[in-house]
Amino acid sequence: MMAPRRAWLPALATACILAVPALPRPARTQALDPRPAQSLPLLPAVHARPPAGRVAAAPGRPAAAPVVRRPAVAPALAPTVPLDETKVASNGETAAQMTRDAVNGGREIFPVGPGLKGPSVLRVQVLLDRALFSPGMIDGSWGRNTSVAVYWFQAREGLTPTGVVDSATYARLQAVAGRPAEVVVRRALTAADVRGPFIEMPGSIYAQAQLDCSCYESLSEKLSELFHARVELLRQLNPRVALNALKAGDSINVPNVRDADAPPRGVVETLVVSGADHYLQALDAGGRILYQFPTTVGSSYDPSPEGNFHVLLVTENPWWHYQPAILHHGNEDAPEAHIPPGPNSAVGKVWMTLSTEHYGIHGTKSPETIGYAVSAGCVRLANWDALFLARRITRGTPVVFKGTRTRAAMPSVNRTPAPARPARPAVAGVRVDSSRTRADSVRRDSVRAPAAPAQRDSTPPAPPRQESAPAPAVPQAQPAPAPQTAPPAPAPVPAKPDSTTRP
């Protein structure tokens, strides 16, 4: 009996060894390495819901390394010459002349500055974009974002900062931008360029929470962000072309903008956010400007923070945690909501969490408003600028806010303290509120200053907010018969907008 038993024991052991690899992995082993919270699926999300399951660390998984805050770097530049936004003399160009042949083959007419539009302005804007001093949305019409970008580019390059392009500035712009052979190029669209889905974004924030993604509403909207240009400019460069009907392999004329995957031009050591001039600058270790982007920051009644902070986390394709209780004009009794990722989310394509609760640097669904509107306190960038920056910074990067709370006294707000809230998901509660469709994006924002270009819709821009009423002037020619002291005019309190006026 013993001999036969010894014969089949080795065979049984061999069979067991061969069968082990085919067994399923234990559930505990699989749970040790969940998908990280910031790595969300490609859009569109399927049955998208709040990423609560991706936030908590799995049992046995080591905790994330603490954020090491680095000291902020002081800017190397402090120009003393103020930005002059006086209109320059007409150069005879018009917006109707912006064709590919006219832009590529035309001659630059100097000076190029405020009040102008046409091929010369379009060349300057494309070169600024490629030089990483973003003018915002490219449209061939000079605006304040372009003035500010030119001013700081001149300062960095050792030129007299004026905000107006002369021949020396233009030559330097060409050199830094890589001397492109064409400013407007013929581009063949890829399958990724034209891929949807394209949806109609509902106006209700709670209806948006039921979507699978906050996707683009049309192909023309996607192309507008892909090439950093207004849809109106793309249509003018491509007459008789139905932008929304384009397919992979079709070619169109587009601005020759920067490469989104270009290698960094230096290590970003500090971010500086200006509340006075609405820009964000990325500085290297010597305080030199590497990149500059126009921004939208908070207002006097819902301001951005002031002082030194740092980046805690960078999240691409973020969920938007809508929390009305933390908004200046939110309905505190309204329920919270989680809006799925996408370019038409109020936080756009990326969210950079800051070390002050509820504040961050993020993208936007309304790039045409950047630099000309106000936010609920966060720093908003165009999606292409926000992604470019996010991929070139690290956790712990210092962020310095200056001039965000010194322009006007903030009125007190009588509010009932909000109850304690549970822990937030991967993306912090964002100080933005509900919004309507993209077609109404310009009407959602209040115009910040009279220098802002007129918004392109039927609604006239709101008058600029006057922080304090000036004292009435006393005529000098006829002195008053008796000295009188007029009571000072009360400073107007900013109107409290409703939940659909500001993103």
Side-chain angles (χ1 to χ4, degrees):
M1 287 297 291
M2 296 297 295
R5 181 177 300 178
R6 290 186 184 135
W8 59 261
L9 280 176
L12 179 61
T14 302
C16 292
I17 292 173
L18 294 175
V20 167
L23 293 176
R25 294 176 63 195
R28 178 179 177 276
T29 303
Q30 295 179 16
L32 290 179
D33 190 24
R35 174 174 290 174
Q38 60 268 35
S39 179
L40 297 177
L42 295 177
L43 298 179
V46 178
H47 302 299
R49 289 297 176 266
R54 303 188 187 117
V55 177
R61 186 178 179 87
V67 177
V68 178
R69 180 173 180 176
R70 305 192 297 269
V73 172
L77 296 174
T80 57
V81 180
L83 174 63
D84 184 2
E85 297 185 71
T86 305
K87 291 184 177 181
V88 301
S90 173
N91 59 6
E93 295 181 344
T94 65
Q97 297 172 344
M98 290 189 297
T99 64
R100 181 188 175 198
D101 291 339
V103 174
N104 291 333
R107 181 176 60 89
E108 199 74 5
I109 304 174
F110 303 110
V112 187
L116 300 185
K117 59 180 61 178
S120 292
V121 175
L122 181 56
R123 294 186 201 102
V124 168
Q125 290 179 332
V126 173
L127 293 177
L128 284 169
D129 182 276
R130 293 173 60 91
L132 302 177
F133 280 73
S134 173
M137 291 202 83
I138 297 172
D139 59 1
S141 180
W142 196 280
R144 194 170 196 276
N145 288 341
T146 306
S147 289
V148 174
V150 169
Y151 178 87
W152 284 100
F153 175 82
Q154 291 169 324
R156 190 193 72 173
E157 297 301 311
L159 304 170
T160 302
T162 61
V164 174
V165 175
D166 54 14
S167 58
T169 301
Y170 190 76
R172 190 60 193 151
L173 261 178
Q174 284 185 308
V176 176
R179 300 189 185 279
E182 293 184 316
V183 173
V184 176
V185 295
R186 190 76 175 167
R187 163 75 181 271
L189 299 177
T190 66
D193 293 338
V194 300
R195 182 180 300 128
F198 303 109
I199 67 172
E200 181 178 354
M201 290 291 294
S204 167
I205 197 68
Y206 302 106
Q208 294 174 21
Q210 301 304 314
L211 297 173
D212 285 339
C213 70
S214 301
C215 300
Y216 289 113
E217 293 193 288
S218 64
L219 177 56
S220 60
E221 182 187 29
K222 182 176 183 179
L223 296 175
S224 172
E225 290 207 358
L226 186 61
F227 300 110
H228 311 178
R230 280 188 178 270
V231 173
E232 294 85 351
L233 175 63
L234 294 180
R235 289 180 179 143
Q236 183 167 346
L237 294 175
N238 299 277
R240 299 180 297 279
V241 173
L243 296 179
N244 289 325
L246 292 169
K247 304 179 298 298
D250 292 342
S251 295
I252 58 173
N253 300 321
V254 297
N256 191 6
V257 295
R258 65 176 181 258
D259 181 5
D261 299 322
R265 295 189 177 179
V267 177
V268 177
E269 293 293 343
T270 297
L271 302 180
V272 176
V273 179
S274 170
D277 291 316
H278 285 210
Y279 62 73
L280 180 148
Q281 293 176 344
L283 309 180
D284 66 9
R288 183 176 184 269
I289 303 171
L290 296 174
Y291 321 122
Q292 176 171 304
F293 308 114
T295 69
T296 288
V297 294
S299 63
S300 60
Y301 51 84
D302 216 347
S304 298
E306 182 90 5
N308 293 8
F309 307 94
H310 59 279
V311 175
L312 291 179
L313 182 68
V314 176
T315 308
E316 293 192 18
N317 285 338
W319 287 78
W320 172 26
H321 185 188
Y322 171 64
Q323 295 175 273
I326 68 174
L327 300 172
H328 172 86
H329 53 282
N331 180 0
E332 295 182 0
D333 296 327
E336 298 183 0
H338 291 83
I339 313 304
N344 267 323
S345 161
V347 295
K349 290 184 174 182
V350 65
W351 167 264
M352 290 161 265
T353 306
L354 299 182
S355 57
T356 176
E357 191 176 21
H358 304 310
Y359 290 95
I361 304 170
H362 61 86
T364 182
K365 61 191 293 183
S366 307
E368 67 276 5
T369 67
I370 296 299
Y372 302 118
V374 293
S375 74
C378 286
V379 178
R380 287 195 283 128
L381 305 170
N383 278 331
W384 56 87
D385 288 339
L387 277 172
F388 190 92
L389 175 67
R391 292 170 180 174
R392 289 159 179 80
I393 63 173
T394 59
R395 298 170 69 218
T397 299
V399 182
V400 179
F401 287 81
K402 61 178 185 178
T404 54
R405 301 199 176 191
T406 57
R407 301 180 68 192
M410 292 174 291
S412 59
V413 181
N414 183 15
R415 297 175 58 184
T416 303
R421 293 181 295 276
R424 295 166 290 156
V427 175
V430 180
R431 297 183 62 84
V432 289
D433 59 13
S434 61
S435 53
R436 294 177 288 182
T437 61
R438 180 177 177 98
D440 295 328
S441 61
V442 175
R443 286 183 288 274
R444 285 198 304 270
D445 296 89
S446 58
V447 177
R448 175 171 57 88
Q455 306 299 331
R456 301 185 178 185
D457 62 13
S458 58
T459 304
R465 183 178 296 104
Q466 186 175 345
E467 303 295 351
S468 60
V474 179
Q476 299 298 324
Q478 297 179 353
Q484 296 181 355
T485 302
V493 178
K496 190 174 183 180
D498 58 49
S499 61
T500 59
T501 56
R502 292 190 297 113

